Amino acid sequence: MSNENSSNEVVDSKMLDALDKPQQIHQVVQEAILLAGGAAAILLQVAEPGVAQGVDEHSNFAYRPLDRLRTTMTYVYCMVFGTREEKEVVIEMVHRAHATVNGPGYSANDPRLQLWVAATLYAVGMDLYQQMFGKFDNTTSEAIYREYSVLALSLRVPPGMWPVDRKAFWEYWNYQVATMEITDHAKHVAKDLLHNKRAPIQIRMVLPLVRLTTTYILPERIREAYGLRSTKLRRGAYRVTMGLTKATYPSLPRAIRTYPMKYYLKDMRQRLKGKT
């Protein structure tokens, strides 16, 4: 796969128009609970062999996991809450970083791979949100789904590639989950992510909880392919964990539930200001 996109390419104004001012998606993406699905989203992403090879061969998140979290959340929050100018700068930064991530048979700018990356963010985010707050009605669900396409468009996925509606999305999703093969690259990423002995102590302390929640967020076939065991004891621990979270999280002050979003947006704006 060739990389035809120059890092100096100006972001398409029509794409920025399409990304402008999403409405319904705000109430989902602003919630800190979505961070609990971060590891599951990454393992789903690298279940796609091309993504796995790119991450395994080009990423340093095993050594600097907080940097990867910072980059990912900056991108997500900017695409949903950022100004047009901020989106343009961040999109260019992402494309420039992706320009070097390529090799035999894969490219980080391959829209097929980026479609899957965006799909995992939608599937995991909506699942966690609705576990905490209940299901949306069909009209709202479709509106949020359409707006989630901003995460694909900003990665140069052509609009026509994002499944037309939720029914089409879940058909695409189920096919992907049923046919993907977990490669050695993906297993290496999973080991670095879930058993990271190089991470700061505060991250290592929460890894048992991350492993537990990730195990049951993942589809069964993907979970088993990664070797994540499901036992009666672990299932019970997960039910208790999620039950307590569901009972307490929605009643937290909004300022606490949206703190990560505000933190990363402030961090992004400080860094962008330093570049001007």
Side-chain angles (χ1 to χ4, degrees):
M1 300 177 192
S2 62
N3 180 8
E4 299 175 354
N5 297 308
S6 167
S7 61
N8 295 319
E9 180 180 345
V10 176
V11 176
D12 189 332
S13 62
K14 290 184 179 179
M15 181 180 73
L16 289 172
D17 290 340
L19 298 175
D20 198 30
K21 297 179 181 178
Q23 300 296 322
Q24 303 281 5
I25 192 176
H26 285 180
Q27 66 187 104
V28 176
V29 174
Q30 70 181 355
E31 295 291 343
I33 192 64
L34 269 62
L35 295 175
I42 291 173
L43 294 190
L44 282 163
Q45 289 164 19
V46 299
E48 162 56 59
V51 177
Q53 189 172 355
V55 171
D56 192 26
E57 294 183 349
H58 295 271
S59 175
N60 65 350
F61 83 92
Y63 297 91
R64 304 174 70 179
L66 291 179
D67 284 357
R68 182 173 180 85
L69 177 64
R70 181 193 199 191
T71 300
T72 301
M73 299 318 300
T74 295
Y75 156 70
V76 172
Y77 291 137
C78 181
M79 292 307 105
V80 176
F81 297 98
T83 66
R84 184 185 181 94
E85 292 74 20
E86 289 166 347
K87 289 175 184 177
E88 182 172 3
V89 173
V90 169
I91 289 170
E92 288 180 341
M93 290 170 62
V94 169
H95 292 169
R96 190 159 52 246
H98 283 175
T100 61
V101 182
N102 56 77
Y106 73 95
S107 167
N109 281 323
D110 182 344
R112 180 180 59 87
L113 303 186
Q114 295 300 354
L115 171 62
W116 176 243
V117 169
T120 66
L121 296 175
Y122 168 75
V124 173
M126 286 294 288
D127 177 55
L128 282 170
Y129 182 93
Q130 292 185 117
Q131 284 194 58
M132 294 299 109
F133 297 99
K135 292 187 179 298
F136 292 106
D137 60 68
N138 286 335
T139 300
T140 304
S141 294
E142 286 294 345
I144 293 172
Y145 170 72
R146 288 193 298 272
E147 290 184 359
Y148 251 96
S149 67
V150 304
L151 301 183
L153 294 175
S154 59
L155 293 172
R156 291 185 176 144
V157 175
M161 285 188 69
W162 185 252
V164 64
D165 54 24
R166 287 184 300 140
K167 182 177 183 293
F169 175 87
W170 291 116
E171 289 174 353
Y172 160 75
W173 177 269
N174 291 335
Y175 176 80
Q176 292 289 94
V177 168
T179 57
M180 283 179 170
E181 296 298 329
I182 306 302
T183 63
D184 288 341
H185 286 294
K187 292 177 181 178
H188 187 209
V189 171
K191 181 179 178 180
D192 283 342
L193 181 64
L194 300 178
H195 302 273
N196 194 329
K197 296 180 180 180
R198 309 181 189 96
I201 183 65
Q202 65 269 29
I203 292 181
R204 298 202 303 272
M205 289 175 63
V206 301
L207 282 181
L209 180 60
V210 171
R211 289 193 292 270
L212 176 67
T213 55
T214 299
T215 295
Y216 293 102
I217 292 174
L218 290 174
E220 183 178 359
R221 179 178 181 273
I222 302 297
R223 171 206 312 162
E224 292 177 352
Y226 278 116
L228 296 172
R229 295 190 305 117
S230 175
T231 65
K232 184 177 181 180
L233 179 61
R234 287 170 64 79
R235 287 193 296 272
Y238 178 72
R239 284 195 295 269
V240 170
T241 299
M242 293 305 291
L244 289 173
T245 304
K246 184 176 180 179
T248 57
Y249 177 83
S251 63
L252 292 174
R254 186 172 180 272
I256 294 176
R257 302 198 330 260
T258 60
Y259 175 77
M261 177 266 292
K262 295 174 182 175
Y263 172 84
Y264 283 110
L265 283 176
K266 181 179 179 180
D267 175 68
M268 174 195 74
R269 285 164 180 152
Q270 289 175 338
R271 286 189 289 149
L272 293 183
K273 185 178 180 180
K275 292 180 177 293
T276 59

